[in-house]
């Protein structure tokens, strides 16, 4: 149940027990040799990195993946012993930090390889890296036809240790055929790389995220998956290998009614008069707006839950307040709980519904919830 602290104006609740159950259920659905790489970039998709990572460590994650060195440093302060893969390019000024925080850079270019090898040699150390291969994303990674040359240069560097190879699917949530094509291209590429230790359980071969698992072959060399959104209770599209895995939402988003007033029919409300009242209306002003993470794109479109009933947003979402129609909910009162994402009684608004109204994707909704929105962590034991 959402908290009833009457002083909270906008907050999210993070159910860490649900997070732990999700991880365990996902692992149970995967082949036993698959390593679980928990993707916790962007402050664990807005769920809060420190608390989330702590619970995932406890629950049995094998490794973590982040976007940058700052995120990696935060995890390293949380606990040692877990491999941390940095998915984005390492800036030249950050190269020394790779050693300090003992992280695994993903490399795409010879320039990165040379820089990392030189830094490792200067400190008489070895750096473990993963080679990223571009099979059609067109972003990071060495283009697949050039992978052999980069791989050979890595093998020539005694201060570098290749700990894995991976790619990134561009359309795993929307195009099964293209995802299968990328997978085959990746497999064809890595099988041409001489002496690549495929089959070694310590050498990670990974391509799949939460949505890409439909085309995961249990007979191939893949031995790791990168799980992001699914562990937070958001399912991939229907048809995925993990579509039937039981997962529960981890995050819910709440506010309160700050004021209720009556307005006559014919009144135009909000900035730029973006809603016209066609009947005498009772409106509630809730204490959250786009400064808290309610996107303006849900204006006049989304609904919220009050006393278990869906109530429409009226007019344009403003920075600190949002207007909601409670004409058909006479019991609504100042101070009432308002749920934007989550459950009340028998009604639910999940993040996919909310993100569809916003014209966004669930990832974007989560990371857009601002820092002034308090995070409240529920730490019950996962049964």
């Amino acid at each position: 149940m959402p908290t009833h602290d009457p002083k909270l104006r906008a907050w999210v609740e993070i159910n860490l027990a649900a997070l732990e159950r999700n991880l365990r259920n996902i692992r149970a659905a995967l082949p036993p040799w698959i390593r679980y790489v928990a993707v916790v970039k962007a402050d664990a998709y807005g769920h809060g990195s420190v608390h989330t990572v702590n619970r995932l460590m406890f629950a049995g994650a094998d490794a973590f993946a982040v976007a940058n060195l700052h995120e990696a440093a935060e995890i390293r302060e949380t606990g040692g012993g877990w491999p941390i893969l940095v998915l984005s390019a390492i800036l030249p000024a950050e190269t020394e930090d790779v050693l300090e925080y003992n992280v695994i850079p993903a490399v795409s270019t010879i320039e990165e390889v040379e820089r990392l090898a030189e830094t490792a040699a200067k400190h008489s150390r070895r750096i473990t890296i993963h080679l990223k291969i571009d099979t059609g994303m067109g972003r990071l990674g060495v283009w697949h036809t050039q992978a052999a040359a980069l791989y050979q240069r890595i093998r020539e560097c005694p201060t570098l240790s290749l700990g894995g190879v991976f790619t990134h699917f561009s359309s795993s949530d929307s195009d099964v055929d293209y995802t299968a094509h990328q997978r085959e291209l990746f497999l064809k590429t890595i099988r041409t790389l001489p002496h690549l230790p495929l089959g070694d359980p310590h050498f990670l071969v990974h391509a799949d995220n939460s949505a890409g698992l439909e085309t995961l072959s249990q007979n191939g060399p893949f031995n790791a998956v990168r799980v992001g959104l699914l562990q937070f209770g958001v399912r991939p599209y229907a048809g995925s290998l993990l579509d039937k895995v039981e997962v529960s939402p981890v995050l819910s988003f709440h506010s309160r009614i700050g004021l209720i007033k009556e307005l006559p029919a014919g009144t135009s409300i909000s900035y730029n008069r973006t809603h016209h009242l066609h009947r005498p209306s009772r409106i509630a002003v809730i204490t959250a707006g786009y400064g808290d993470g309610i996107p303006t794109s849900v204006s006049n479109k989304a609904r919220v839950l009050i006393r278990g009933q869906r109530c429409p947003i009226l007019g344009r979402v403003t920075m600190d307040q949002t207007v909601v129609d409670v004409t058909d909910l006479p019991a609504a009162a100042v101070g009432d709980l308002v749920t934007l994402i989550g459950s009340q009684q028998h009604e639910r608004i999940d993040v996919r519904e909310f993100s569809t109204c916003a014209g966004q994707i669930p990832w974007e909704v989560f990371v857009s919830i601002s820092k002034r929105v308090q995070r409240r962590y529920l730490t019950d034991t996962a049964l």
Side-chain angles (χ1 to χ4, degrees):
M1 287 291 293
T3 184
H4 292 289
D5 182 345
K7 295 182 180 180
L8 289 176
R9 302 174 67 84
W11 70 99
V12 295
E13 295 193 343
I14 314 295
N15 189 328
L16 296 174
L19 176 68
E20 181 180 342
R21 286 193 298 270
N22 291 347
L23 183 151
R24 292 179 176 178
N25 290 344
I26 294 165
R27 292 204 75 142
L30 292 169
W33 63 86
I34 296 291
R35 304 279 291 279
Y36 189 110
V37 181
V39 182
V40 290
K41 58 186 179 178
D43 197 32
Y45 295 77
H47 290 67
S49 176
V50 173
H51 290 83
T52 298
V53 167
N54 267 317
R55 194 60 173 246
L56 290 170
M57 286 177 173
F58 174 80
D62 295 305
F64 294 94
V66 295
N68 56 52
L69 260 297
H70 174 76
E71 294 174 348
E74 190 169 47
I75 294 178
R76 191 55 78 213
E77 291 295 325
T78 301
W82 280 265
I84 302 173
L85 175 63
V86 180
L87 297 169
S88 299
I90 303 294
L91 296 173
E94 296 176 320
T95 307
E96 298 278 343
D97 296 334
V98 169
L99 289 170
E100 179 177 354
Y101 297 114
N102 187 26
V103 300
I104 303 169
V107 300
S108 306
T109 66
I110 286 181
E111 188 275 332
E112 291 173 301
V113 168
E114 302 285 2
R115 179 159 32 91
L116 289 165
E118 181 181 342
T119 299
K122 184 173 70 173
H123 294 278
S124 300
R125 300 268 299 276
R126 286 174 65 86
I127 294 176
T128 298
I129 62 174
H130 280 206
L131 171 62
K132 183 166 189 179
I133 298 174
D134 186 354
T135 56
M137 182 72 172
R139 197 176 58 178
L140 299 173
V142 60
W143 188 246
H144 58 93
T145 60
Q146 301 165 5
L150 183 56
Y151 171 69
Q152 180 58 35
R153 184 66 192 102
I154 292 169
R155 294 191 68 208
E156 294 168 353
C157 295
T159 57
L160 297 183
S161 175
L162 185 61
V165 61
F166 71 109
T167 193
H168 190 110
F169 296 140
S170 68
S171 310
S172 57
D173 60 345
S174 59
D175 193 332
V176 173
D177 291 338
Y178 189 68
T179 301
H181 166 73
Q182 281 191 271
R183 187 186 300 281
E184 289 305 312
L185 191 56
F186 175 67
L187 289 172
K188 179 181 177 181
T189 301
I190 64 174
R191 284 169 177 155
T192 66
L193 304 180
H195 309 294
L196 197 68
L198 302 178
D200 182 341
H202 301 292
F203 184 82
L204 298 191
V205 181
H206 50 108
D208 296 279
N209 58 14
S210 299
L213 290 166
E214 181 184 12
T215 52
L216 174 61
S217 169
Q218 297 194 14
N219 300 317
F222 298 99
N223 61 358
V225 294
R226 304 186 303 270
V227 183
L229 206 60
L230 186 63
Q231 65 194 350
F232 297 112
V234 182
R235 295 180 183 276
Y237 67 98
S240 168
L241 177 68
L242 295 182
D243 183 51
K244 292 183 172 56
V245 173
E246 183 179 345
V247 291
S248 303
V250 173
L251 179 147
S252 57
F253 186 11
H254 309 278
S255 184
R256 293 204 183 277
I257 295 177
L259 181 146
I260 292 179
K261 63 193 292 186
E262 310 277 347
L263 291 175
T267 303
S268 294
I269 66 172
S270 192
Y271 286 118
N272 304 119
R273 303 170 67 210
T274 47
H275 186 84
H276 184 77
L277 297 178
H278 296 286
R279 62 174 179 170
S281 299
R282 188 168 183 252
I283 66 155
V285 181
I286 71 172
T287 56
Y290 65 76
D292 303 280
I294 306 175
T296 57
S297 54
V298 304
S299 302
N300 282 312
K301 291 165 60 179
R303 295 175 182 271
V304 303
L305 297 178
I306 302 172
R307 297 185 179 237
Q309 183 169 317
R310 287 172 174 258
C311 300
I313 290 174
L314 303 183
R316 197 173 83 186
V317 175
T318 62
M319 182 180 289
D320 311 301
Q321 290 94 29
T322 302
V323 175
V324 175
D325 188 354
V326 292
T327 308
D328 298 323
L329 185 59
V334 170
D336 273 359
L337 173 73
V338 178
T339 297
L340 296 115
I341 299 172
S343 298
Q344 279 193 20
Q345 300 177 26
H346 301 296
E347 280 286 349
R348 175 166 193 84
I349 296 173
D350 64 24
V351 70
R352 285 204 180 275
E353 176 183 341
F354 188 84
S355 65
T356 298
C357 282
Q360 298 177 336
I361 55 177
W363 298 261
E364 189 177 0
V365 168
F366 283 148
V367 302
S368 296
I369 298 173
S370 73
K371 290 297 184 183
R372 80 174 180 182
V373 176
Q374 294 188 43
R375 269 65 174 172
R376 309 280 287 192
Y377 292 92
L378 309 181
T379 57
D380 293 343
T381 301
L383 299 178

